[in-house]
Amino acid sequence: MRAAERGGAVLKAGIKRLLARTGFDIVRSTNNRGGVDDFIPFEATMRAARAAGLPVGDYLDEVMNGTPGATQSTIDELRALGVFAAAPDTVLEIGPGSGRYLEKTLKECSPGRYEIYETAAPWADYLVDTFKVVARPTSDCSLAPTPDGSVDLVQAHKVFNTVTFLSASRYFFEMARVTRPGGRIVFDVMTETCLDPATMRAWATEGGAGHDSYPAAMPRQACVDLFATLGCTLEASFLAPMGFASTEVLVFGKEA
């Protein structure tokens, strides 16, 4: 085991011991079919984060997901790839939930407009109040309120592994539509790269009861081929932690 992995295991064990001593519960809904509406309840999650003395994003990474620093590591990778170097003036995020990626994105760039499509009203209201973003109405995997070619950076994190294949596919068409020529599209999916036999066994035996469509797999090549037909080229990819498993982050550039 590498030193980083050993350190992560030690930290996870420490968190579990802390929770056992303090009586904090890991907040999970009994409805594990994906989406933050029920899966990550707003009031209970905020109370638990306060009780743990953690910002809500860190609480989700460290306590709920057992992946300390996961959000920041993704942002660091995107920074290294130059995603924020273009100083995007308009950013759109699908399913920001608690806003843990949103908050860190705003530390990397200063867009004049940041749009969100969030189905969970309490989280959407919280993000609007806290970060002054623009919440767009959500309906049927559509980004219809956003005009064609108007966004510099479109992103979604830990979303498309929680929705059905068709929902993700419909969003892909919309993401390409709203991205301006020269803009970037960033999202993660659970591709075959993330599904070696050991991981599949872990999902089957450790993933927990009550799962239905979550986690949802998506063929990597299907994504690459689809976006190619929409004028978008895969620029880079990397793995991002998700519990005991991972998802693959894909970075596309729309042809100018």
Side-chain angles (χ1 to χ4, degrees):
M1 183 182 289
R2 292 176 298 181
E5 292 172 336
R6 286 196 300 270
V10 170
L11 181 53
K12 290 180 186 180
I15 289 170
K16 288 181 179 178
R17 287 195 298 270
L18 173 63
L19 292 173
R21 288 199 305 270
T22 58
F24 295 149
D25 291 325
I26 296 177
V27 177
R28 292 285 194 193
S29 169
T30 55
N31 178 1
N32 290 338
R33 295 187 176 184
V36 298
D37 306 67
D38 296 308
F39 193 44
I40 307 178
F42 176 75
E43 292 290 349
T45 302
M46 296 299 283
R47 284 197 303 271
R50 288 193 295 268
L54 293 170
V56 65
D58 290 346
Y59 171 81
L60 291 174
D61 276 352
E62 296 180 18
V63 179
M64 282 189 65
N65 298 325
T67 53
T71 300
Q72 187 61 55
S73 69
T74 294
I75 295 296
D76 291 344
E77 290 274 7
L78 295 177
R79 183 197 311 115
L81 291 170
V83 169
F84 306 115
D89 185 58
T90 304
V91 178
L92 184 154
E93 185 170 353
I94 299 169
S98 69
R100 65 189 193 273
Y101 291 93
L102 185 160
E103 180 176 17
K104 294 185 184 300
T105 296
L106 290 176
K107 292 180 179 178
E108 299 291 335
C109 58
S110 301
R113 185 177 185 84
Y114 199 121
E115 298 184 10
I116 63 169
Y117 283 80
E118 175 53 61
T119 59
W123 284 114
D125 292 343
Y126 163 75
L127 296 178
V128 170
D129 291 342
T130 305
F131 301 105
K132 312 308 177 188
V133 296
V134 178
R136 293 292 205 176
T138 59
S139 176
D140 298 328
C141 306
S142 172
L143 308 177
T146 301
D148 295 359
S150 63
V151 181
D152 298 300
L153 171 61
V154 178
Q155 62 178 349
H157 300 279
K158 300 298 182 289
V159 172
F160 298 132
N161 61 289
T162 71
V163 300
T164 65
F165 172 85
L166 286 178
S167 293
S169 300
R170 289 164 181 151
Y171 272 124
F172 292 164
F173 285 101
E174 284 288 84
M175 294 167 83
R177 177 185 67 79
V178 302
T179 303
R180 69 164 180 80
R184 293 282 197 15
I185 298 170
V186 175
F187 61 90
D188 65 310
V189 283
M190 186 173 286
T191 66
E192 59 272 29
T193 307
C194 312
L195 292 171
D196 58 88
T199 301
M200 292 179 68
R201 179 178 294 276
W203 275 118
T205 59
E206 302 175 33
H211 288 252
D212 186 5
S213 62
Y214 168 82
M218 172 69 71
R220 184 183 197 274
Q221 196 60 47
C223 292
V224 175
D225 291 346
L226 174 63
F227 276 94
T229 69
L230 301 173
C232 302
T233 302
L234 182 68
E235 296 182 346
S237 67
F238 58 90
L239 295 182
M242 189 183 75
F244 55 78
S246 64
T247 57
E248 185 171 9
V249 181
L250 304 178
V251 181
F252 291 92
K254 188 169 183 180
E255 297 170 4

